[in-house]
Amino acid sequence: MSKIYWSPGLDQLEPYTPGEQPKSETLIKLNTNENPYPASPEALRLLEQHDFADALRRYPDPESCELRRAIADKHNLSAEQVFVGNGSDEVLALSFYSFFRRSEPLLFPDITYSFYPVYCQLFNIKSRTVPLHGDFSIQLEDYAAPAAGVIIPNPNAPTGRYLPLEQIEQLLRSQPERVVVIDEAYIDFGGESAATLIDRYPNLLVIHTLSKSYALAGLRLGFAMGQKHLIEGLLRAKNSFNSYPIDAIAQRVATAAIRDTAWHSDNCGKVIATRERCERALTDLGFEVIPSQANFLLAKPPEPGAEALYLALRERNILVRYFNKPRISEYLRISIGTDEEMEQLIRNCKEILASQS
Ligand code: PMP
């Protein structure tokens, strides 16, 4: 009944469903690719020591100048090549709006971040999904067609598969007239960022988040890097929607986190080492594990299969992600937690599998 007040088409939107955020503290939560460790102590100390009264009384810097400078310094860019947003989801949304509303379809893999089709619906963007090959690899020839642009996560989500920079360059060369967005939410866990290609490719936009490798998912901070003309396009869209998407506290905490490069590389190293141990342990249990350069593993369990194992783990207070979707319904996506959490996961998987045989 109340839908009579809605704009036409709103009831047709199928919103994105984020992974569950249960209230229980005792749960081992391996379902949303969060970082298991606390963020940089430099960043957290700011929250304890700083008196934010004045900063909160005023509007924040609408251009997030210091934060953009810190990101630019880290990636050898200039501040005008950096755009920041309220989580990379917001940066993605503004990118879709700014670059992909065209007569041709936007191309992205059939198995990928499931927010992309939602933005297409929201902004009326035509899209064409390109099937991943049987081993979940991306074949670049498939993307050399007339298109509104291309978006791929690298590493891809939820597969974890990574494309080396030469292949990203091939993709950029195949779409010189259109923007190619590389969503690098997970790049810090073993990949090489395409940010180094920005000066050579006017069509490249690289998007990062502080939610994964910086352990700041609750802060909501994402950023895009690209040549100035792309950043200007994003600013135009952002300033037509929300002038102050990054609050004063987030700007300061994120700046400190980005500048703490020692904490960041140490943290990524720990997550990578745990991932490698976990991959071996799952393989030993008979899982088929897709090679991952991210902070999660996509793995196909043996009998009783993915859904039954997901439910059995849940009963034991361990939460992983099960996607009831074509092609990946036989797999579980398991975020990398601490060593202790992963040991508990492995021990419980072993018990559940043994009880089935
Ligand atoms: N891109 C990919 C591929 C992701 O998996 C996620 C996390 N769900 C995001 C972007 C969004 O991350 P955030 O909005 O927390 O920055």
Side-chain angles (χ1 to χ4, degrees):
M1 151 66 190
S2 56
K3 287 186 189 165
I4 58 165
Y5 298 114
W6 290 9
S7 299
L10 184 59
D11 58 342
Q12 302 297 313
L13 266 186
E14 277 179 55
Y16 173 75
T17 328
E20 204 183 329
Q21 293 292 49
K23 300 282 175 287
S24 163
E25 297 282 317
T26 54
L27 209 70
I28 297 184
K29 192 169 174 302
L30 306 173
N31 69 329
T32 48
N33 302 339
E34 287 148 332
N35 199 301
Y37 302 105
S40 147
E42 302 280 334
L44 296 178
R45 206 171 300 131
L46 267 184
L47 287 169
E48 283 162 20
Q49 292 178 350
H50 213 280
D51 175 6
F52 283 112
D54 232 31
L56 290 175
R57 189 173 59 77
R58 292 166 185 260
Y59 283 105
D61 171 7
E63 293 174 359
S64 300
C65 289
E66 274 191 49
L67 173 56
R68 284 171 46 235
R69 159 77 29 228
I71 295 167
D73 287 350
K74 174 145 191 192
H75 292 276
N76 288 320
L77 298 167
S78 67
E80 59 189 15
Q81 294 175 310
V82 177
F83 174 85
V84 290
N86 189 264
S88 62
D89 281 340
E90 184 182 80
V91 179
L92 286 165
L94 291 169
S95 305
F96 275 58
Y97 180 86
S98 305
F99 308 123
F100 297 149
R101 290 178 305 128
R102 295 173 177 277
S103 52
E104 309 94 334
L106 171 68
L107 306 181
F108 51 81
D110 62 339
I111 301 170
T112 196
Y113 184 32
S114 44
F115 224 137
Y116 300 160
V118 180
Y119 294 134
C120 287
Q121 257 202 319
L122 180 65
F123 298 127
N124 248 322
I125 292 167
K126 287 187 268 319
S127 64
R128 181 160 69 77
T129 53
V130 181
L132 293 181
H133 286 221
D135 59 355
F136 295 139
S137 63
I138 290 178
Q139 297 300 319
L140 294 169
E141 309 76 77
D142 301 344
Y143 292 84
V150 174
I151 180 159
I152 57 163
N154 194 33
N156 195 8
T159 67
R161 272 198 178 272
Y162 167 72
L163 284 178
L165 280 195
E166 310 83 76
Q167 298 197 25
I168 299 293
E169 284 200 70
Q170 191 185 327
L171 186 62
L172 288 160
R173 283 194 295 263
S174 72
Q175 290 289 347
E177 310 273 293
R178 293 290 183 255
V179 173
V180 174
V181 173
I182 310 296
D183 177 354
E184 293 189 337
Y186 302 101
I187 196 71
D188 297 329
F189 300 109
E192 205 181 338
S193 174
T196 53
L197 304 175
I198 283 171
D199 286 338
R200 285 195 284 133
Y201 293 93
N203 57 336
L204 168 62
L205 192 74
V206 180
I207 297 184
H208 280 207
T209 176
L210 267 61
S211 299
K212 314 295 178 184
S213 64
Y214 288 89
L216 288 170
L219 195 71
R220 308 308 299 132
L221 207 296
F223 57 93
M225 299 173 282
Q227 288 189 14
K228 193 176 160 198
H229 53 265
L230 297 185
I231 302 305
E232 279 172 359
L234 288 171
L235 284 171
R236 185 173 277 254
K238 171 241 172 199
N239 288 326
S240 307
F241 179 68
N242 182 358
S243 314
Y244 306 106
I246 319 293
D247 68 69
I249 299 176
Q251 289 191 29
R252 291 189 199 182
V253 174
T255 304
I258 299 270
R259 294 225 183 265
D260 192 351
T261 50
W263 177 89
H264 187 242
S265 53
D266 181 60
N267 177 268
C268 293
K270 280 200 285 196
V271 172
I272 293 168
T274 307
R275 179 187 69 213
E276 287 170 357
R277 274 193 287 275
C278 183
E279 180 178 351
R280 282 193 295 274
L282 288 172
T283 308
D284 288 347
L285 284 182
F287 284 65
E288 184 194 303
V289 186
I290 308 297
S292 169
Q293 298 293 318
N295 68 338
F296 57 82
L297 293 167
L298 189 71
K300 182 176 175 181
E303 285 300 316
E307 188 172 15
L309 184 57
Y310 159 75
L311 291 170
L313 285 169
R314 228 200 126 91
E315 292 238 310
R316 292 161 177 244
N317 275 334
I318 300 177
L319 195 54
V320 298
R321 190 90 184 251
Y322 171 66
F323 300 94
N324 195 359
K325 283 188 183 170
R327 297 192 71 188
I328 49 171
S329 62
E330 291 178 8
Y331 290 77
L332 295 177
R333 194 196 65 190
I334 303 167
S335 307
I336 302 302
T338 60
D339 277 328
E340 198 187 302
E341 288 173 326
M342 301 324 275
E343 275 160 26
Q344 290 204 43
L345 168 87
I346 298 294
R347 185 162 10 92
N348 279 280
C349 283
K350 202 182 246 172
E351 284 173 14
I352 296 164
L353 297 182
S355 71
Q356 301 290 320
S357 56

